Structures are given as structure tokens and as C-alpha cells.
């Protein structure tokens, strides 16, 4: 085997493994690689005030093409602890991060804008502070998210319909998704909680109040049955309480998954939101 042939084979292998060869173009997003896939979506970024001079990063993107009358419906994606929502990840990303990007891809390719605000210092959302040491309405999160919603209404993120907001997120972001029903009544059309539960739950410490908001948005759950961080049964408590109140709800359990986004997340969450758009 001569040197030219060796270099050619190395180049082909690198293209297959790391990207380039086998590239699939799909609107705002593309997937590269065959042995190790990477999905990447283009995005823009800005900053939103959390408190005074404290700001947080927000990544966002709108679909290609002409927006519908009134603007694009929008999915707000809440990060899990320590891992901001990224618009590019490969299949080795922890906690099923690759499938988080597939959720973004699914929505951008099907007429939903996506906005991903960062949690404070990228650590966690303040929805379930231990012992309720601080009223939620006094947290930086509450101020930050109100400013985010105002920015959507004012057109900061482009032609988005502020009356067609949806929320999803994993882990801490899943609890924060539940928080949208409690502290931001009327803001969201539907919610999807990935590996999380009610707003104030935290892992195995979970109690769901009997008095849920009458206008609680329709809520879907995606959860790994082997999840040891946020036990499956803690989600089930919330799910059962919604059912008992006649609030539209459903769930998908991946019986082989742990604490992670799963391959079914994109299609399941999209289908749930699409019926309420």
C-alpha cells in the first residue's frame, strides 16, 4: 500500500467517523458522520437581564421560510443542571445530549422557533430550592423569565407568536417546565417534562399538591424507567394528579433508559405540542 493510498483511506475514515462524508442537509440543521453522528443547528445568541447588571445568555433560532400569520409558535427549552442547551452535539454527549439536539432539529424543521435560556451560572433553575428558603417570586429566575417573555412579545427574537409558547426541559429544566404551570399562568399552551416532575420536587423528595391550577397546560412526560436521579415514580405522582383533575396529560416510558434524553423524545414531544399549536 503506497503513501497516497494510505492518506486517502485515512481521510475517508476521518470523514466517516467525524463528519463530512454522509452529510445530510436539513433546513437549519445538518447531521454528519456515520460511525459517530453529530447533529448541528445554526443559532443566534443574545443576553437577557436577570437582575440589575446580571444577564444570562439565550440561544435561539427560527425556522427557514416565511412565518405564518402572527409569527412562529415557539418552544422554550430549559437546560438541566450544569449543561446548557447546545445546538450541536454528537452521540457521545452525556445524558442523551445528542437527542436534545434532535428535539431542536425536529421543531425547527416543522415550523417552531426554539429559544434556550441559560440557568443561573449554568448550574440549575431555582424552582425547587431546598426547603423553600426563598419565595419563587423573589428569585432571579422569576425576574429573568418575565423579561424573556416580554422580549418575545417585543420581537427581540424575530417573528414569534407570543400567544403560542410551549416549554420543555430535562432534569432541573423538567422541574422548571412544571414551574411554568404554577407561576406563569396563561403563558403556555402545553408542556413536556423530560426526566423531571412537579415544580417543587427534587429527586426522590416529591409531593404534588392537590390544588393544581385550573388552567394548568396540557402536560406530557418522557422518562427513563431506570432513572435513579429523578425516580420514575416521582413523575408518576404528577401524572396521576393531572389525570385525577381532568387535565390533559400523557407519558412515554423508555424502560431501558436512565436519566437522559431518549431517541423517542423528539417525535413524542413534537406530536404533543403540535396538537395544541
Amino acid at each position: 500500500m503506497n503513501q497516497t493510498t494510505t492518506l486517502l483511506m485515512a481521510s475517508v475514515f476521518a470523514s466517516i467517523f467525524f463528519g463530512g462524508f454522509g452529510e445530510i442537509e436539513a433546513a437549519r440543521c445538518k447531521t454528519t458522520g456515520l460511525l459517530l453522528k453529530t447533529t448541528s443547528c445554526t443559532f443566534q445568541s443574545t443576553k437577557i437581564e436577570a437582575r440589575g447588571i446580571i444577564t444570562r445568555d439565550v440561544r435561539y433560532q427560527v425556522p427557514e421560510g416565511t412565518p405564518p400569520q402572527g409569527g412562529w409558535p415557539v418552544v422554550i427549552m430549559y437546560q438541566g443542571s450544569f449543561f446548557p442547551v447546545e445546538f450541536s452535539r454528537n452521540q457521545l454527549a452525556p445524558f442523551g445530549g445528542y437527542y436534545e439536539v434532535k428535539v431542536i432539529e425536529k421543531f425547527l424543521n416543522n415550523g417552531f422557533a426554539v429559544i434556550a435560556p441559560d440557568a443561573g451560572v449554568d448550574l440549575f433553575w431555582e424552582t425547587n430550592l431546598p426547603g423553600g428558603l426563598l419565595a419563587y417570586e423573589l428569585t432571579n429566575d422569576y425576574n429573568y423569565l418575565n423579561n424573556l417573555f416580554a422580549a418575545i412579545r417585543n420581537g427581540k427574537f424575530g417573528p414569534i407568536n407570543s400567544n403560542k409558547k410551549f416549554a420543555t426541559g430535562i432534569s432541573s429544566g423538567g422541574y422548571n417546565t412544571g414551574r411554568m404551570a404554577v407561576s406563569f399562568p396563561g403563558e403556555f399552551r402545553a408542556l413536556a417534562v423530560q426526566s423531571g416532575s412537579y415544580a417543587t420536587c427534587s429527586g426522590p423528595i416529591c409531593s404534588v399538591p392537590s390544588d393544581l391550577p385550573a388552567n394548568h397546560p396540557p402536560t406530557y412526560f418522557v422518562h427513563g424507567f431506570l432513572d435513579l436521579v429523578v425516580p420514575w415514580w416521582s413523575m408518576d405522582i404528577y401524572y396521576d394528579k393531572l389525570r385525577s383533575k381532568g387535565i390533559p396529560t400523557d407519558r412515554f416510558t423508555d424502560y431501558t433508559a436512565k436519566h437522559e434524553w431518549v431517541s423517542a423524545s423528539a417525535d413524542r414531544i413534537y406530536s404533543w405540542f403540535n396538537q395544541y399549536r
Side-chain angles (χ1 to χ4, degrees):
M1 183 181 296
N2 61 39
Q3 185 178 14
T4 300
T5 302
T6 301
L7 291 173
L8 179 60
M9 290 181 66
S11 176
V12 169
F13 177 79
S15 294
I16 293 174
F17 197 80
F18 295 108
F21 183 78
E23 183 173 299
I24 303 171
E25 295 291 347
R28 297 291 193 191
C29 304
K30 64 180 180 181
T31 297
T32 58
L34 293 178
L35 299 182
L36 178 63
K37 292 182 180 180
T38 297
T39 295
S40 301
C41 302
T42 62
F43 67 93
Q44 303 174 68
S45 61
T46 188
K47 293 182 181 296
I48 295 291
E49 176 193 335
R51 181 79 64 182
I53 63 172
I54 301 172
T55 61
R56 299 186 196 171
D57 292 333
V58 180
R59 299 167 188 82
Y60 67 98
Q61 186 58 283
V62 298
E64 290 189 335
T66 303
Q69 186 175 3
W72 303 107
V74 61
V75 176
I76 299 178
M77 292 188 66
Y78 295 122
Q79 69 166 89
S81 297
F82 309 110
F83 292 93
V85 174
E86 300 289 353
F87 281 63
S88 179
R89 283 202 176 109
N90 65 40
Q91 290 174 302
L92 298 181
F95 303 107
Y98 177 73
Y99 295 116
E100 179 180 71
V101 181
K102 301 306 282 186
V103 172
I104 294 172
E105 177 184 49
K106 184 72 175 184
F107 281 112
L108 289 178
N109 288 351
N110 288 277
F112 285 79
V114 175
I115 295 176
D118 283 2
V121 202
D122 292 337
L123 293 178
F124 53 80
W125 298 98
E126 298 172 295
T127 179
N128 52 1
L129 292 174
L133 297 178
L134 185 67
Y136 181 75
E137 288 72 18
L138 300 178
T139 64
N140 286 347
D141 276 7
Y142 184 69
N143 196 59
Y144 172 56
L145 293 176
N146 273 307
N147 288 340
L148 177 71
F149 303 155
I152 293 172
R153 290 191 296 271
N154 294 334
K156 185 177 182 67
F157 301 100
I160 289 175
N161 190 330
S162 64
N163 294 317
K164 293 186 176 183
K165 294 197 297 296
F166 302 80
T168 190
I170 187 171
S171 193
S172 178
Y175 295 126
N176 202 53
T177 298
R179 171 61 68 177
M180 298 304 101
V182 178
S183 298
F184 301 95
E187 285 282 358
F188 290 88
R189 290 205 168 194
L191 309 174
V193 177
Q194 171 77 52
S195 306
S197 186
Y198 184 72
T200 57
C201 290
S202 182
I205 303 172
C206 188
S207 177
V208 181
S210 297
D211 295 329
L212 293 175
N215 61 348
H216 192 297
T219 301
Y220 193 77
F221 299 92
V222 180
H223 216 104
F225 192 71
L226 304 180
D227 192 336
L228 298 179
V229 179
V230 180
W232 181 92
W233 56 260
S234 68
M235 170 277 294
D236 192 49
I237 294 172
Y238 192 8
Y239 168 75
D240 283 343
K241 189 61 63 73
L242 290 171
R243 289 186 65 196
S244 71
K245 298 294 182 180
I247 297 167
T249 186
D250 206 347
R251 66 184 179 192
F252 171 78
T253 299
D254 187 321
Y255 287 95
T256 65
K258 298 178 182 178
H259 191 64
E260 58 192 315
W261 292 96
V262 298
S263 59
S265 295
D267 286 343
R268 293 282 179 164
I269 296 173
Y270 168 75
S271 295
W272 183 256
F273 286 174
N274 192 47
Q275 64 182 313
Y276 295 104
R277 72 191 292 180

